[in-house]
Amino acid sequence: MDLIISLDGAGGTTVRVYRAIRQAIADGRLPAGHRLPATRVLAADLGVARNSVATAYERLVAEGHLVARTGSGTFVAAAPAAPAPRLAPADPLRPRAAWTYTPLPTSAGVLAPRYDFRTGIPDARLFSFESWRRLVAAELRLRAHDPGGYADPFGHPALRAAIARYLGYSRSLRADAEDVLVTNGAQHALDLIGRVLLRPGDVVAVEEPGYPPARRLFASLGARVVGVPVDSEGLVVDALPRAARVVYTTPSHQFPLGRTMGVDRRRALLDWAAGRRVAVVEDDYDTEFRFSARPLEPLYGLDTAGRVLYVGTFSKTMVPSVRTGFVLAPAALRPALAAARQLGDGFGQIAVQAALARFIDEGQLARHVRRAVKAYAQRQARIVTALSAHRGLEVVPSAAGLHVTALAPGSARVVAAAAARGVAVEDLGAYGSDSTGFVFGFGAIDPALLDEGLAVFSEVLRRET
């Protein structure tokens, strides 16, 4: 790799080369042990005499910044001076207030708690990484001699067709490949939808309690986000703001309560949206994992007015690192969504998308889901049994997904005390509601530690209440 240094400033050529290399070492741009280019090569790159570079090297060696090794080359000394601190500008550029970064509790480098009941994390131990590796490697080999170029922002054609077929038999949805736009997960799909539909100041109705990343995303686009209560039947349609432009909902497995929106409520929501030309974003994030009862037909399948955008993801079904989701949208919105995708990141990882298409079509996804459902059902049952034994807890019925919610007073105090004992459970109040309680995820927890973790939580609960 070429060494790029600036020769600006006063002094002769030798002095300027010496000063530039010394500054690069001080800044940390040339780390300890790094091999510098030969004097002939660097002189040609800089357009200066070789003798100027050689003299600069000799001075830097004499001062201990560089080490010359006969037959090997010239290297940055093993213990150069500490890089000079960068001074913050007096008037730094600042982002809009909506953009604040908070690392996720599942971020790389974050030490997992011993008893991990955090939500939204599937069990990677259940996933067949060996099969997945084989498929991705095969697709990469097929593209070894690809001349290059840009791909379709709608997504790989084979994956769009595979998703349509999969939704047909898993969710009873009538969809064709043309209906599917592939995304980098559900959050990416929500971002595209927001960019296409929302103007600054538009009202977005979201469930409360609800999914915080969706709320924050719509707010970051300049929308006015309004919380709408949820009851035993799901989103309360009568409480929707009349000015809403978009309604975001999780009808098949409400997050975080876990309830299912009834058929009558679904039809009421669709009638409300049709009469006001409102878009309904249906986030169906984890209902492949069903433990009892047949799933109700998604809003997308009941919609006859072209109001519903159906968002799905493989982050929960498989593993988050697959980083693939999708959106089914009314025909009139598809070109705009593709344009937003094209402007934002162009297109996705073609080899991964092609491998996922084969993973679905070979039946491996269906087999993985069946295996995971069996494991998750056992964990859910153990959690429900343990929580139901506490008189002060009201376990919310849930027939699907990766978490269980229990209503109880004083949850914030208990959550903090449990964390001190190594039990990571989430506070329902953190999801934007007056309700208090606990949300137990069961994808991340080691099954061998599940009962022990529940026992520790029970001990904390009895002590704190």
Side-chain angles (χ1 to χ4, degrees), residues 96-372:
R96 290 192 296 112
W99 296 102
T100 55
Y101 172 68
T102 303
L104 295 174
T106 56
S107 299
V110 176
L111 184 64
R114 177 172 176 79
Y115 308 109
D116 195 351
F117 292 103
R118 293 174 295 174
T119 63
I121 309 173
D123 190 344
R125 291 162 295 198
L126 299 174
F127 184 64
S128 177
F129 281 101
E130 180 58 32
S131 297
W132 178 245
R133 183 200 61 78
R134 175 179 58 80
L135 291 173
V136 173
E139 293 299 333
L140 288 173
R141 285 195 297 271
L142 287 174
R143 287 160 177 76
H145 304 291
D146 193 316
Y150 294 91
D152 190 342
F154 277 101
H156 192 278
L159 179 57
R160 297 172 69 193
I163 290 173
R165 289 190 293 270
Y166 179 73
L167 293 175
Y169 64 75
S170 68
R171 300 297 279 123
S172 298
L173 288 179
R174 295 181 59 184
D176 298 320
E178 292 74 20
D179 300 323
V180 180
L181 184 141
V182 181
T183 65
N184 293 329
Q187 195 73 5
H188 184 210
L190 298 181
D191 183 56
L192 295 178
I193 292 168
R195 292 179 185 277
V196 165
L197 291 178
L198 296 173
R199 299 182 182 92
D202 281 348
V203 174
V204 177
V206 300
E207 297 166 335
E208 192 166 292
Y211 184 54
R215 175 189 287 267
R216 291 195 295 267
L217 172 63
F218 294 131
S220 76
L221 296 174
R224 184 163 65 90
V225 181
V226 178
V228 179
V230 176
D231 63 15
S232 61
E233 287 293 308
L235 184 73
V236 178
V237 175
D238 291 340
L240 285 166
R242 295 181 61 84
R245 168 71 170 148
V246 171
V247 177
Y248 171 80
T249 182
T250 53
S252 295
H253 186 229
Q254 200 279 327
F255 188 90
L257 293 176
R259 293 167 176 153
T260 299
M261 183 183 289
V263 174
D264 292 342
R265 184 68 61 84
R266 292 177 187 235
R267 295 191 184 280
L269 174 57
L270 292 174
D271 290 343
W272 187 92
R276 291 168 174 78
R277 301 181 62 81
V278 172
V280 177
V281 180
E282 178 180 16
D283 190 348
D284 198 7
Y285 62 98
D286 69 355
T287 49
E288 286 89 351
F289 305 128
R290 296 202 64 83
F291 313 127
S292 63
R294 291 173 55 85
L296 295 176
E297 187 172 3
L299 293 171
Y300 186 86
L302 298 171
D303 179 29
T304 59
R307 295 287 179 264
V308 178
L309 296 96
Y310 180 90
V311 173
T313 179
F314 295 96
S315 294
K316 306 294 188 297
T317 315
M318 297 167 66
V319 286
S321 59
V322 172
R323 214 64 224 117
T324 306
F326 59 88
V327 56
L328 307 184
L333 292 179
R334 292 172 202 156
L337 289 168
R341 175 73 194 270
Q342 194 171 51
L343 288 173
D345 70 341
F347 56 94
Q349 301 179 72
I350 301 306
V352 171
Q353 292 186 13
L356 180 54
R358 291 181 58 188
F359 192 78
I360 295 172
D361 287 340
E362 291 179 4
Q364 295 196 56
L365 177 60
R367 287 194 292 274
H368 167 70
V369 169
R370 285 196 295 271
R371 182 168 58 250

